[in-house]
Coordinates of all heavy atoms in Angstrom, one line a residue:
M182 N 0.0 -5.4 -18.8 CA 0.3 -5.8 -17.3 C -0.9 -5.2 -16.6 O -1.4 -4.1 -16.8 CB 1.5 -4.8 -17.0 CG 2.0 -5.2 -15.6 SD 3.3 -4.0 -15.1 CE 4.6 -4.4 -16.3
N183 N -1.3 -6.0 -15.7 CA -2.4 -5.6 -14.9 C -2.1 -4.5 -13.8 O -0.9 -4.3 -13.5 CB -3.3 -6.7 -14.3 CG -2.6 -7.4 -13.1 OD1 -1.7 -6.8 -12.4 ND2 -2.7 -8.7 -13.0
K184 N -3.1 -3.9 -13.3 CA -2.8 -2.7 -12.4 C -2.0 -3.2 -11.2 O -1.2 -2.4 -10.6 CB -4.2 -2.1 -12.0 CG -4.1 -0.7 -11.3 CD -3.6 0.2 -12.5 CE -3.4 1.7 -11.7 NZ -2.9 2.6 -12.8
S185 N -2.5 -4.3 -10.6 CA -1.9 -4.7 -9.3 C -0.4 -5.0 -9.5 O 0.4 -4.5 -8.6 CB -2.6 -6.0 -8.9 OG -1.9 -6.5 -7.9
K186 N -0.1 -5.6 -10.6 CA 1.3 -5.9 -10.9 C 2.1 -4.6 -11.1 O 3.2 -4.3 -10.5 CB 1.4 -6.7 -12.2 CG 2.8 -7.3 -12.4 CD 2.8 -8.5 -13.4 CE 4.2 -9.1 -13.5 NZ 5.0 -8.5 -14.6
W187 N 1.4 -3.6 -11.8 CA 2.0 -2.3 -12.1 C 2.4 -1.6 -10.8 O 3.5 -1.0 -10.7 CB 1.2 -1.5 -13.0 CG 1.8 -0.3 -13.5 CD1 2.6 -0.2 -14.7 CD2 1.9 1.0 -12.9 NE1 3.1 1.0 -14.8 CE2 2.8 1.9 -13.7 CE3 1.5 1.6 -11.7 CZ2 3.1 3.1 -13.4 CZ3 1.9 2.8 -11.4 CH2 2.5 3.7 -12.3
I188 N 1.4 -1.7 -9.9 CA 1.7 -0.9 -8.6 C 2.8 -1.6 -7.8 O 3.7 -1.0 -7.2 CB 0.3 -0.9 -7.8 CG1 -0.7 -0.1 -8.4 CG2 0.6 -0.4 -6.3 CD1 -0.4 1.5 -8.5
R189 N 2.8 -2.9 -7.8 CA 3.9 -3.6 -7.1 C 5.2 -3.2 -7.7 O 6.2 -3.0 -7.0 CB 3.6 -5.1 -7.0 CG 2.7 -5.5 -5.9 CD 2.3 -6.9 -5.9 NE 1.3 -7.2 -6.8 CZ 1.2 -8.3 -7.6 NH1 2.0 -9.2 -7.4 NH2 0.2 -8.5 -8.6
E190 N 5.3 -3.1 -9.0 CA 6.6 -2.7 -9.6 C 6.9 -1.3 -9.3 O 8.1 -1.0 -9.0 CB 6.5 -2.9 -11.2 CG 6.3 -4.4 -11.6 CD 6.9 -4.6 -13.0 OE1 7.3 -3.7 -13.7 OE2 7.0 -5.8 -13.2
R191 N 5.9 -0.4 -9.3 CA 6.2 1.0 -8.9 C 6.8 1.1 -7.4 O 7.8 1.8 -7.2 CB 4.8 1.8 -8.9 CG 5.1 3.3 -8.4 CD 3.6 3.9 -8.1 NE 3.2 3.5 -6.8 CZ 1.9 3.6 -6.3 NH1 1.1 4.5 -7.0 NH2 1.6 3.2 -5.1
D192 N 6.2 0.3 -6.6 CA 6.7 0.2 -5.2 C 7.9 -0.7 -5.0 O 8.3 -1.0 -3.9 CB 5.5 -0.2 -4.3 CG 4.4 0.8 -4.4 OD1 4.6 1.9 -4.8 OD2 3.2 0.4 -3.9
K193 N 8.5 -1.2 -6.0 CA 9.7 -2.0 -5.9 C 9.4 -3.2 -5.2 O 10.4 -3.8 -4.6 CB 10.9 -1.3 -5.4 CG 11.1 0.2 -5.9 CD 11.8 0.0 -7.2 CE 12.4 1.4 -7.7 NZ 11.3 2.3 -8.3
H194 N 8.2 -3.8 -5.3 CA 7.9 -5.0 -4.6 C 8.1 -5.0 -3.1 O 8.4 -6.1 -2.5 CB 8.5 -6.2 -5.2 CG 8.2 -6.3 -6.7 ND1 7.1 -7.0 -7.2 CD2 8.8 -5.9 -7.8 CE1 7.1 -6.9 -8.5 NE2 8.0 -6.2 -9.0
L195 N 8.1 -3.9 -2.5 CA 8.4 -3.7 -1.1 C 7.1 -3.2 -0.3 O 6.3 -2.3 -0.9 CB 9.5 -2.7 -0.8 CG 10.9 -3.1 -1.3 CD1 11.8 -1.9 -1.3 CD2 11.5 -4.2 -0.3
C196 N 7.0 -3.7 0.9 CA 5.9 -3.1 1.7 C 6.4 -1.7 2.0 O 7.5 -1.5 2.6 CB 5.7 -3.9 2.9 SG 4.6 -3.1 4.1
Q197 N 5.5 -0.7 1.8 CA 5.9 0.7 1.9 C 5.8 1.2 3.4 O 6.5 2.2 3.8 CB 5.0 1.6 1.1 CG 5.2 1.3 -0.5 CD 6.5 1.5 -1.0 OE1 7.0 2.6 -0.9 NE2 7.1 0.4 -1.5
I198 N 5.1 0.5 4.3 CA 5.2 0.7 5.7 C 6.4 0.1 6.2 O 7.1 0.8 7.1 CB 3.9 0.2 6.4 CG1 2.6 1.0 5.9 CG2 4.1 0.3 7.9 CD1 2.6 2.4 6.4
C199 N 6.8 -1.1 6.0 CA 8.0 -1.7 6.4 C 9.2 -0.8 6.0 O 10.1 -0.6 6.9 CB 8.2 -3.1 5.9 SG 7.1 -4.4 6.6
L200 N 9.1 -0.4 4.8 CA 10.3 0.4 4.3 C 10.5 1.7 5.2 O 11.6 2.1 5.3 CB 9.9 0.9 2.8 CG 11.1 1.5 2.0 CD1 12.2 0.5 1.8 CD2 10.5 1.9 0.7
L201 N 9.6 2.2 5.7 CA 9.5 3.4 6.7 C 9.6 3.0 8.1 O 9.7 3.9 9.0 CB 8.3 4.3 6.5 CG 8.2 4.8 5.1 CD1 6.7 5.5 4.9 CD2 9.1 6.0 4.8
E202 N 9.7 1.7 8.3 CA 9.9 1.1 9.7 C 8.9 1.7 10.7 O 9.3 2.0 11.8 CB 11.4 1.2 10.1 CG 12.4 0.6 9.3 CD 13.8 0.7 9.7 OE1 14.4 1.7 9.5 OE2 14.3 -0.3 10.2
R203 N 7.6 1.6 10.3 CA 6.6 2.0 11.1 C 5.8 0.8 11.6 O 5.9 -0.3 10.9 CB 5.6 3.0 10.4 CG 6.4 4.4 10.1 CD 5.4 5.3 9.4 NE 6.2 6.5 8.9 CZ 5.8 7.4 8.0 NH1 4.4 7.4 7.7 NH2 6.5 8.5 7.5
Y204 N 5.0 1.0 12.6 CA 4.0 0.0 13.0 C 4.7 -1.5 13.1 O 4.2 -2.4 12.5 CB 2.8 -0.2 12.0 CG 2.0 1.1 11.9 CD1 2.3 2.0 11.0 CD2 1.1 1.5 12.9 CE1 1.6 3.3 10.9 CE2 0.5 2.7 12.9 CZ 0.7 3.6 11.9 OH 0.0 4.8 11.8
N205 N 5.5 -1.6 14.0 CA 6.1 -2.9 14.3 C 6.8 -3.6 13.2 O 6.7 -4.8 13.2 CB 4.9 -3.9 15.0 CG 4.2 -3.2 16.2 OD1 4.8 -2.5 16.9 ND2 2.9 -3.4 16.0
T206 N 7.4 -2.9 12.4 CA 8.2 -3.4 11.2 C 9.3 -4.4 11.8 O 10.0 -4.1 12.7 CB 8.7 -2.3 10.4 OG1 7.7 -1.7 9.7 CG2 9.7 -2.9 9.4
Q207 N 9.2 -5.6 11.2 CA 10.3 -6.5 11.5 C 11.4 -6.6 10.5 O 12.6 -6.7 10.9 CB 9.7 -8.0 11.5 CG 8.5 -8.1 12.4 CD 8.9 -7.9 14.0 OE1 9.8 -8.6 14.4 NE2 8.0 -7.2 14.6
T208 N 11.1 -6.3 9.3 CA 12.1 -6.4 8.2 C 11.8 -5.0 7.2 O 10.9 -5.0 6.6 CB 11.8 -7.5 7.4 OG1 11.8 -8.7 8.2 CG2 13.0 -7.8 6.2
K209 N 12.9 -4.2 7.2 CA 12.8 -3.0 6.5 C 12.4 -3.2 5.0 O 11.5 -2.7 4.4 CB 14.0 -2.1 6.6 CG 13.9 -0.8 5.9 CD 15.1 0.1 6.2 CE 14.8 1.5 5.4 NZ 15.9 2.5 5.5
Y210 N 13.3 -4.2 4.3 CA 13.1 -4.4 3.0 C 12.3 -5.8 2.9 O 12.8 -6.9 2.8 CB 14.5 -4.6 2.2 CG 15.2 -3.1 2.3 CD1 16.1 -3.1 3.1 CD2 14.8 -2.1 1.4 CE1 16.8 -1.8 3.3 CE2 15.4 -1.0 1.6 CZ 16.5 -0.7 2.4 OH 17.1 0.4 2.5
N211 N 11.0 -5.6 2.9 CA 10.1 -6.8 3.0 C 9.4 -7.1 1.6 O 8.6 -6.3 1.2 CB 9.0 -6.5 4.1 CG 8.2 -7.7 4.4 OD1 8.4 -8.8 3.7 ND2 7.3 -7.7 5.3
F212 N 9.9 -8.1 0.9 CA 9.4 -8.6 -0.3 C 8.2 -9.6 -0.1 O 7.8 -10.0 -1.1 CB 10.5 -9.1 -1.2 CG 11.6 -8.1 -1.6 CD1 12.8 -8.0 -0.7 CD2 11.5 -7.4 -2.6 CE1 13.8 -7.1 -1.1 CE2 12.5 -6.4 -3.1 CZ 13.6 -6.4 -2.2
N213 N 8.0 -10.1 1.1 CA 7.2 -11.2 1.4 C 5.7 -10.8 1.3 O 5.3 -10.0 2.0 CB 7.6 -12.0 2.6 CG 8.9 -12.5 2.6 OD1 9.4 -13.0 1.5 ND2 9.6 -12.3 3.7
N214 N 5.0 -11.7 0.6 CA 3.5 -11.6 0.6 C 2.9 -10.2 0.5 O 2.1 -9.6 1.1 CB 2.9 -12.0 2.0 CG 3.2 -13.5 2.3 OD1 3.3 -14.4 1.4 ND2 3.8 -13.8 3.5
I215 N 3.5 -9.5 -0.7 CA 3.1 -8.2 -0.9 C 1.6 -8.2 -1.7 O 1.5 -8.9 -2.6 CB 4.1 -7.5 -1.8 CG1 5.5 -7.4 -1.1 CG2 3.7 -6.1 -2.3 CD1 5.4 -6.8 0.2
E216 N 0.8 -7.3 -1.1 CA -0.5 -7.2 -1.6 C -0.7 -5.7 -1.9 O -0.1 -4.9 -1.2 CB -1.7 -7.6 -0.6 CG -1.4 -9.1 -0.1 CD -2.1 -9.4 1.2 OE1 -2.7 -8.6 1.8 OE2 -2.1 -10.7 1.5
V217 N -1.7 -5.5 -2.9 CA -2.0 -4.1 -3.1 C -3.2 -3.7 -2.4 O -4.2 -4.3 -2.4 CB -2.1 -3.9 -4.7 CG1 -2.7 -2.4 -5.0 CG2 -0.8 -4.2 -5.5
H218 N -3.1 -2.6 -1.6 CA -4.2 -2.1 -0.8 C -4.8 -0.9 -1.4 O -4.2 0.0 -2.0 CB -3.6 -1.8 0.5 CG -4.5 -1.0 1.4 ND1 -5.7 -1.7 1.9 CD2 -4.5 0.2 2.1 CE1 -6.4 -0.8 2.7 NE2 -5.8 0.4 2.8
H219 N -6.3 -0.9 -1.3 CA -7.0 0.3 -1.8 C -7.2 1.2 -0.5 O -7.8 0.8 0.5 CB -8.4 -0.2 -2.2 CG -8.5 -0.8 -3.6 ND1 -8.3 -2.1 -3.8 CD2 -8.4 -0.4 -4.8 CE1 -8.2 -2.5 -5.0 NE2 -8.3 -1.4 -5.7
I220 N -6.6 2.4 -0.6 CA -6.5 3.2 0.6 C -8.0 3.7 0.9 O -8.5 3.5 2.1 CB -5.6 4.5 0.4 CG1 -4.3 4.0 0.1 CG2 -5.8 5.4 1.5 CD1 -3.2 5.0 -0.3
V221 N -8.7 4.2 -0.1 CA -10.1 4.4 0.1 C -10.8 3.1 -0.6 O -10.6 2.8 -1.6 CB -10.6 5.7 -0.7 CG1 -12.2 5.8 -0.7 CG2 -10.0 6.9 -0.2
P222 N -11.6 2.5 0.4 CA -12.1 1.1 -0.1 C -13.1 1.3 -1.3 O -13.7 2.2 -1.6 CB -12.8 0.6 1.1 CG -13.0 1.7 2.1 CD -11.9 2.8 1.7
L223 N -13.0 0.1 -2.1 CA -13.8 0.0 -3.2 C -15.3 0.4 -2.9 O -15.9 1.1 -3.8 CB -13.9 -1.4 -3.9 CG -12.4 -1.8 -4.3 CD1 -12.5 -3.2 -4.9 CD2 -11.9 -0.8 -5.3
I224 N -15.7 -0.1 -1.8 CA -17.2 0.2 -1.6 C -17.5 1.6 -1.4 O -18.7 2.1 -1.6 CB -17.5 -0.6 -0.3 CG1 -19.1 -0.8 -0.1 CG2 -17.0 -0.1 1.0 CD1 -19.5 -1.9 0.8
E225 N -16.5 2.5 -1.0 CA -16.7 3.9 -0.9 C -16.4 4.6 -2.2 O -16.9 5.7 -2.4 CB -15.8 4.6 0.2 CG -16.3 4.1 1.6 CD -15.3 4.6 2.7 OE1 -14.6 5.6 2.5 OE2 -15.2 3.9 3.8
A226 N -15.5 4.3 -2.9 CA -15.1 4.9 -4.2 C -14.6 4.0 -5.3 O -13.5 3.7 -5.6 CB -13.9 5.7 -3.8
W227 N -15.6 3.4 -5.9 CA -15.4 2.4 -7.0 C -14.6 3.1 -8.2 O -13.7 2.5 -8.8 CB -16.7 1.9 -7.5 CG -16.6 0.9 -8.6 CD1 -16.9 1.2 -9.9 CD2 -16.2 -0.4 -8.7 NE1 -16.7 0.1 -10.7 CE2 -16.3 -0.9 -10.0 CE3 -15.5 -1.2 -7.7 CZ2 -15.8 -2.2 -10.3 CZ3 -15.2 -2.5 -8.1 CH2 -15.2 -2.9 -9.3
D228 N -14.9 4.4 -8.4 CA -14.2 5.2 -9.4 C -12.7 5.3 -9.2 O -11.9 5.6 -10.0 CB -14.8 6.5 -9.6 CG -14.8 7.4 -8.3 OD1 -15.1 6.8 -7.3 OD2 -14.5 8.5 -8.4
K229 N -12.2 5.1 -7.9 CA -10.9 5.2 -7.6 C -10.0 4.0 -7.6 O -8.9 3.9 -7.3 CB -10.6 5.8 -6.1 CG -11.0 7.3 -6.1 CD -10.6 7.9 -4.8 CE -10.9 9.4 -4.8 NZ -10.9 9.9 -3.4
R230 N -10.7 2.9 -8.0 CA -10.1 1.5 -8.0 C -8.8 1.4 -8.7 O -7.9 0.6 -8.4 CB -11.0 0.4 -8.3 CG -11.4 0.4 -9.9 CD -12.6 -0.5 -10.1 NE -13.0 -0.6 -11.5 CZ -13.6 0.5 -12.1 NH1 -13.9 1.5 -11.4 NH2 -13.8 0.3 -13.4
L231 N -8.6 2.2 -9.9 CA -7.5 2.1 -10.6 C -6.6 3.4 -10.5 O -5.6 3.5 -11.3 CB -7.9 1.9 -12.1 CG -8.6 0.5 -12.4 CD1 -9.0 0.5 -13.8 CD2 -7.7 -0.7 -11.9
E232 N -6.9 4.1 -9.5 CA -6.0 5.4 -9.3 C -4.8 5.1 -8.7 O -4.8 4.6 -7.5 CB -6.8 6.4 -8.7 CG -7.5 7.4 -9.6 CD -8.3 8.5 -8.8 OE1 -7.9 8.9 -7.7 OE2 -9.3 8.9 -9.4
D233 N -3.6 5.6 -9.3 CA -2.4 5.2 -8.7 C -2.3 5.9 -7.3 O -1.6 5.2 -6.4 CB -1.3 5.9 -9.6 CG -1.1 5.1 -10.8 OD1 -1.7 4.1 -11.1 OD2 -0.4 5.7 -11.7
S234 N -2.9 7.0 -7.1 CA -2.8 7.7 -5.8 C -3.7 6.9 -4.7 O -3.5 7.2 -3.5 CB -3.3 9.1 -5.9 OG -4.7 9.0 -6.4
N235 N -4.4 5.9 -5.0 CA -5.3 5.3 -4.1 C -4.7 3.8 -3.8 O -5.3 3.1 -3.1 CB -6.8 5.2 -4.6 CG -7.7 4.7 -3.5 OD1 -7.6 5.1 -2.4 ND2 -8.6 3.8 -3.8
L236 N -3.7 3.5 -4.4 CA -3.0 2.1 -4.3 C -1.7 2.2 -3.7 O -0.9 3.0 -4.0 CB -3.1 1.5 -5.8 CG -4.5 1.4 -6.4 CD1 -4.3 1.1 -7.9 CD2 -5.2 0.3 -5.7
I237 N -1.5 1.1 -2.8 CA -0.2 1.1 -2.1 C 0.2 -0.4 -1.9 O -0.8 -1.2 -1.5 CB -0.1 1.9 -0.9 CG1 1.3 1.9 -0.3 CG2 -1.1 1.5 0.2 CD1 1.5 3.0 0.8
S238 N 1.5 -0.8 -2.0 CA 1.9 -2.2 -1.7 C 2.2 -2.2 -0.3 O 2.9 -1.5 0.4 CB 3.2 -2.4 -2.5 OG 2.9 -2.2 -4.0
L239 N 1.6 -3.4 0.3 CA 1.8 -3.6 1.8 C 1.9 -5.1 2.0 O 1.5 -5.9 1.1 CB 0.5 -3.2 2.6 CG 0.1 -1.6 2.5 CD1 -1.1 -1.4 3.3 CD2 1.2 -0.7 3.1
C240 N 2.7 -5.4 3.0 CA 2.8 -6.9 3.4 C 1.5 -7.3 4.0 O 0.6 -6.4 4.2 CB 3.9 -7.1 4.3 SG 3.7 -6.2 6.0
A241 N 1.2 -8.5 4.2 CA 0.0 -9.1 4.6 C -0.3 -8.5 6.0 O -1.5 -8.1 6.3 CB 0.0 -10.6 4.7
Y242 N 0.7 -8.3 6.9 CA 0.6 -7.8 8.2 C 0.1 -6.3 8.2 O -0.9 -6.0 8.9 CB 1.9 -7.9 9.0 CG 1.9 -7.4 10.4 CD1 1.3 -7.9 11.3 CD2 2.6 -6.1 10.5 CE1 1.3 -7.4 12.7 CE2 2.6 -5.5 11.8 CZ 2.0 -6.1 12.9 OH 2.0 -5.7 14.1
H243 N 0.7 -5.5 7.4 CA 0.4 -4.2 7.4 C -0.9 -3.9 6.5 O -1.6 -2.9 6.7 CB 1.5 -3.3 6.9 CG 2.6 -3.1 7.9 ND1 3.9 -3.3 7.6 CD2 2.6 -2.9 9.1 CE1 4.6 -3.1 8.7 NE2 3.8 -2.8 9.7
H244 N -1.2 -4.9 5.7 CA -2.5 -4.8 4.9 C -3.7 -4.9 6.0 O -4.5 -4.1 5.8 CB -2.5 -5.8 3.8 CG -3.5 -5.6 2.8 ND1 -3.9 -6.5 1.8 CD2 -4.4 -4.6 2.6 CE1 -4.7 -6.0 1.0 NE2 -5.2 -4.8 1.5
K245 N -3.5 -5.9 6.8 CA -4.7 -6.1 7.8 C -4.7 -4.9 8.7 O -5.9 -4.5 8.9 CB -4.2 -7.4 8.7 CG -4.6 -8.6 8.1 CD -4.7 -9.7 9.2 CE -4.8 -11.1 8.5 NZ -3.5 -11.6 8.0
M246 N -3.7 -4.2 9.0 CA -3.7 -3.1 10.0 C -4.3 -1.9 9.1 O -5.1 -1.2 9.7 CB -2.3 -2.6 10.4 CG -1.7 -3.5 11.5 SD -0.1 -2.9 12.0 CE -0.6 -1.7 13.2
A247 N -4.0 -1.8 7.9 CA -4.7 -0.8 7.1 C -6.2 -1.0 6.9 O -7.0 0.0 7.1 CB -3.9 -0.7 5.7
E248 N -6.5 -2.3 6.6 CA -7.9 -2.6 6.5 C -8.7 -2.2 7.7 O -9.9 -2.0 7.7 CB -8.1 -4.0 6.1 CG -7.6 -4.4 4.7 CD -8.5 -3.8 3.6 OE1 -9.5 -3.2 3.8 OE2 -8.1 -4.0 2.3
S249 N -8.1 -2.5 8.9 CA -8.8 -2.3 10.1 C -8.8 -0.8 10.7 O -9.3 -0.6 11.7 CB -8.3 -3.2 11.2 OG -7.0 -2.9 11.5
G250 N -8.0 0.0 9.9 CA -8.0 1.3 10.3 C -6.9 1.7 11.3 O -6.8 2.9 11.7
Q251 N -6.1 0.8 11.7 CA -5.0 1.0 12.6 C -3.9 1.8 11.9 O -3.2 2.4 12.7 CB -4.4 -0.3 13.1 CG -5.4 -1.2 14.1 CD -4.8 -2.4 14.3 OE1 -4.9 -3.4 13.6 NE2 -4.2 -2.6 15.5
I252 N -3.9 1.8 10.7 CA -2.9 2.7 10.0 C -3.9 3.7 9.3 O -4.6 3.3 8.4 CB -2.0 1.9 9.0 CG1 -1.2 0.9 9.6 CG2 -1.2 3.0 8.2 CD1 -0.4 0.0 8.6
P253 N -3.8 4.9 9.7 CA -4.8 6.0 9.2 C -4.6 6.1 7.7 O -3.5 6.1 7.0 CB -4.4 7.3 9.8 CG -3.5 6.9 11.0 CD -2.9 5.6 10.6
K254 N -5.7 6.3 6.9 CA -5.8 6.7 5.5 C -5.0 7.8 5.1 O -4.2 7.7 4.2 CB -7.2 6.8 5.0 CG -8.1 5.7 4.9 CD -9.4 6.0 4.2 CE -10.4 4.9 4.2 NZ -11.0 4.6 5.5
N255 N -5.0 8.9 6.0 CA -4.2 10.0 5.6 C -2.7 9.7 5.6 O -2.0 10.3 4.8 CB -4.5 11.2 6.6 CG -5.8 11.8 6.4 OD1 -6.4 11.6 5.2 ND2 -6.2 12.5 7.2
E256 N -2.3 8.8 6.5 CA -0.8 8.6 6.4 C -0.4 7.7 5.2 O 0.6 8.0 4.5 CB -0.5 7.7 7.8 CG 0.9 7.4 7.9 CD 1.3 6.7 9.2 OE1 0.3 6.6 10.0 OE2 2.5 6.2 9.3
L257 N -1.4 6.8 4.8 CA -1.1 6.1 3.6 C -1.1 6.9 2.4 O -0.3 6.9 1.4 CB -2.1 5.0 3.5 CG -2.0 3.9 4.5 CD1 -3.3 3.0 4.5 CD2 -0.8 3.0 4.3
I258 N -2.1 7.9 2.3 CA -2.1 8.8 1.2 C -0.9 9.7 1.1 O -0.3 9.9 0.0 CB -3.4 9.8 1.3 CG1 -4.6 9.0 1.1 CG2 -3.4 11.0 0.4 CD1 -5.9 9.5 1.5
G259 N -0.4 10.0 2.3 CA 0.8 10.9 2.3 C 2.1 10.0 1.8 O 2.9 10.7 1.1
I260 N 2.2 8.8 2.1 CA 3.2 8.0 1.6 C 3.1 7.8 0.1 O 4.3 8.0 -0.6 CB 3.2 6.6 2.3 CG1 3.5 6.8 3.8 CG2 4.2 5.7 1.7 CD1 3.2 5.4 4.7
V261 N 2.0 7.6 -0.5 CA 1.9 7.4 -1.8 C 2.2 8.7 -2.5 O 3.0 8.7 -3.6 CB 0.4 7.0 -2.2 CG1 0.2 7.1 -3.8 CG2 0.1 5.6 -1.7
R262 N 1.9 9.9 -1.9 CA 2.3 11.1 -2.6 C 3.9 11.3 -2.7 O 4.3 12.0 -3.6 CB 1.7 12.4 -1.8 CG 0.2 12.5 -2.0 CD -0.1 13.9 -1.7 NE -1.7 14.0 -1.9 CZ -2.5 14.3 -0.9 NH1 -2.1 14.5 0.2 NH2 -3.8 14.4 -1.1
Q263 N 4.5 10.7 -1.9 CA 6.0 10.8 -1.9 C 6.5 9.8 -3.0 O 7.6 10.2 -3.5 CB 6.6 10.3 -0.6 CG 6.3 11.0 0.6 CD 6.8 12.5 0.7 OE1 7.9 12.8 0.4 NE2 5.8 13.4 0.9
I264 N 5.8 8.9 -3.4 CA 6.2 7.9 -4.4 C 5.9 8.5 -5.9 O 6.7 8.4 -6.8 CB 5.6 6.5 -4.3 CG1 5.6 6.1 -2.8 CG2 6.1 5.6 -5.3 CD1 4.9 4.7 -2.6
I265 N 4.7 9.0 -6.1 CA 4.2 9.3 -7.4 C 4.4 10.7 -7.7 O 4.9 11.5 -7.0 CB 2.8 8.9 -7.7 CG1 1.8 9.7 -6.8 CG2 2.6 7.4 -7.5 CD1 0.4 9.2 -7.1
Ligands
LIG183 ZN1 4.8 -4.2 6.0

């Protein structure tokens, strides 16, 4: 099983931000268009690309917000710490 699939299974195929109903969540249990986000981007930390603590499942909407910094990295790291 590849890492991306493994992370999505760990996160129950749900956007972890929607699940907490933060940042304009429309649907709490959101299974749609789930993508795996690198909290610390690959360009900054290639060695963390496969670390569970650096990966989180997000919907496309929240993934864009995370990529643009509208969702702080520290918040995402805190959410992952609750999961693993
Ligand atoms: Zn979401």
